[in-house]
Amino acid sequence: MFILLLVVWIVLNGSWNVQVLAAGVAVSGVLSWGSYRILQLPPLGGVGHIDRFPRALFYLFYLTWQVLLANLQVMERILFPGRREGAPKLTWFRSGLKEPGYQMLLANSITLTPGTITVSLREGRLCVYAMDQSFARGLSDCGFVRRLRRWEEG
């Protein structure tokens, strides 16, 4: 994990000198240590799970696509208020995901999608604020949940 974070740091900086390298080593070290201590990630960052990389990449593309679609839907509701379907709503649901990491990923994915915010995540139950009734519909079986369930199983 440390090496991956350091490489990402250097690539995102766009330059390579002693200062960038020193800061990258410090930041990567702190993040790796924190990931190990707080999130219980393995010290090598899960090198044994390299087979999950394609799924993670496809999930990232799916998330990006959903964010774009949700942006258009939110813009539509702002520009044409008559198309709203009811008042904002708080919705509780169970995702069926067992691992806390996948539950957290789902909660963050929902929050990143415009029009919805994850308010609470407790014991596998999520509370989501949706700005429209249509955004709240079908959360327990949305594309994020289906993809994460398949990921968790295999």
Side-chain angles (χ1 to χ4, degrees):
M1 165 128 8
F2 173 79
I3 300 296
L4 177 65
L5 290 171
L6 183 61
V7 168
V8 168
W9 177 270
I10 291 170
V11 167
L12 291 178
N13 270 292
S15 63
W16 201 89
N17 58 36
V18 175
Q19 282 181 317
V20 169
L21 186 61
V25 166
V27 169
S28 299
V30 168
L31 287 174
S32 295
W33 176 81
S35 296
Y36 174 69
R37 298 286 296 169
I38 297 169
L39 300 175
Q40 286 86 34
L41 292 177
L44 296 177
V47 174
H49 299 292
I50 199 75
D51 58 322
R52 292 185 179 184
F53 181 73
R55 285 185 183 174
L57 190 61
F58 286 127
Y59 186 82
L60 185 61
F61 286 136
Y62 180 75
L63 174 63
T64 303
W65 178 248
Q66 291 302 311
V67 167
L68 291 173
L69 289 178
N71 269 310
L72 293 174
Q73 292 173 344
V74 169
M75 287 181 356
E76 176 186 30
R77 279 147 178 91
I78 291 170
L79 295 174
F80 307 105
R83 294 188 183 170
R84 288 188 181 168
E85 296 181 25
K89 181 179 182 179
L90 279 175
T91 304
W92 284 91
F93 72 96
R94 286 201 179 276
S95 64
L97 298 170
K98 295 168 188 73
E99 292 186 32
Y102 291 119
Q103 293 173 7
M104 182 188 69
L105 183 58
L106 174 62
N108 287 330
S109 297
I110 290 171
T111 299
L112 284 172
T113 307
T116 55
I117 298 172
T118 304
V119 178
S120 176
L121 170 61
R122 286 207 179 109
E123 300 169 4
R125 291 184 63 214
L126 287 94
C127 179
V128 175
Y129 170 83
M131 70 174 275
D132 194 319
Q133 299 285 333
S134 64
F135 290 160
R137 221 175 287 129
L139 280 172
S140 61
D141 195 41
C142 67
F144 294 131
V145 173
R146 287 192 308 268
R147 280 167 175 73
L148 291 172
R149 280 183 194 150
R150 280 192 307 239
W151 197 357
E152 188 175 51
E153 292 168 359

